[in-house]
Amino acid sequence: MARNVEFDEQLAISKAMDVFWKKGYNGASMRDLTEAMGINSSSLYNTIGDKHQLFIKCIKHYTESRMEAAKKQLHQISSPLKAIEKYINASAYTITTEPNSCLAIKTTFEVATFDVEVQKIIKSDNEFTYQLLIGLIKKAIDIQEIKFTKDAEMLTDYIINHFTGWHESFIIHQDKTRIKKTAKFLIEQLNK
């Protein structure tokens, strides 16, 4: 009689996520994934499914974890402008300290252009960030913490586009100072 392999699915997904993060979807082999997860391929197929289904679970786990962390972190700050500043600084810190860049951005360029299911998850992640920031920006404009513009949509897009640019810049140049300086400059613009 075959023995059922029991494992912690969330831990296994976390370990697989690290493999996808380092190697990308196309670079990660089933062997890489099952070794990291500590299971054999038949156990993976029987519990989670194929590589694509595993990747979907990993990217969902990654984006949902980020959303929860952002909500928790910013919920405690009473000033909307200070919350925006914290989000910008946290993004710059993450971009310059995570060894494999942002899994969502890597996935956008590697997989999301041709995979509708992945594109949907990445779009939801982006929409979360957009709604989080535009809500804070509108509040900051209403209470006049931000005075230089009334265009919350434009300002939200402006900030979000910095994050993608910083990822690219850091991947190419590996220059933390460059990212920190532009983050500081972005925050100074909000305070004018």
Side-chain angles (χ1 to χ4, degrees):
M1 182 158 119
R3 184 171 74 89
N4 287 337
V5 177
E6 291 186 29
F7 69 104
D8 179 339
E9 187 172 316
Q10 285 306 311
L11 179 61
I13 287 170
S14 251
K15 289 180 178 184
M17 185 179 72
D18 288 340
V19 173
F20 285 126
W21 210 335
K22 283 181 193 156
K23 297 189 172 198
Y25 178 75
N26 294 315
S29 69
M30 287 301 284
R31 183 182 192 144
D32 295 330
L33 294 163
T34 54
E35 282 180 6
M37 296 166 74
I39 60 173
N40 62 41
S41 57
S42 63
S43 295
L44 173 63
Y45 288 117
N46 290 333
T47 56
I48 294 174
D50 63 11
K51 178 180 171 181
H52 185 261
Q53 289 168 313
L54 175 60
F55 185 69
I56 294 296
K57 285 185 181 272
C58 289
I59 199 69
K60 277 185 180 177
H61 173 72
Y62 177 78
T63 58
E64 289 169 2
S65 297
R66 286 188 341 156
M67 290 177 201
E68 283 306 310
K71 283 192 262 187
K72 252 186 219 176
Q73 189 179 60
L74 301 181
H75 178 70
Q76 302 167 352
I77 302 171
S78 59
S79 160
L81 182 58
K82 294 295 178 204
I84 296 165
E85 290 174 8
K86 183 163 182 96
Y87 195 82
I88 291 168
N89 283 324
S91 296
Y93 176 81
T94 299
I95 290 164
T96 59
T97 59
E98 292 209 350
N100 297 306
S101 188
C102 172
L103 183 58
I105 288 182
K106 287 174 93 167
T107 299
T108 299
F109 292 107
E110 182 188 11
V111 183
T113 55
F114 61 86
D115 188 318
V116 176
E117 196 172 358
V118 171
Q119 190 178 76
K120 185 177 171 186
I121 296 165
I122 298 299
K123 189 174 182 178
S124 175
D125 180 56
N126 184 269
E127 186 61 23
F128 168 82
T129 302
Y130 185 86
Q131 292 303 323
L132 177 74
L133 284 174
I134 199 166
L136 292 169
I137 289 167
K138 284 179 177 179
K139 287 178 189 172
I141 289 170
D142 286 347
I143 63 171
Q144 296 190 348
E145 283 187 325
I146 294 176
K147 297 175 186 168
F148 72 95
T149 185
K150 297 277 185 220
D151 191 343
E153 291 83 6
M154 179 278 307
L155 185 53
T156 303
D157 285 332
Y158 180 71
I159 293 170
I160 289 173
N161 288 329
H162 274 80
F163 302 151
T164 306
W166 292 345
H167 280 285
E168 178 187 5
S169 176
F170 192 71
I171 288 167
I172 294 167
H173 303 286
Q174 297 292 305
D175 186 347
K176 290 183 181 187
T177 304
R178 178 182 268 186
I179 306 304
K180 288 177 185 175
K181 281 172 70 175
T182 55
K184 183 178 180 222
F185 182 76
L186 176 58
I187 289 168
E188 286 170 359
Q189 300 313 300
L190 298 177
N191 284 294
K192 284 188 172 186

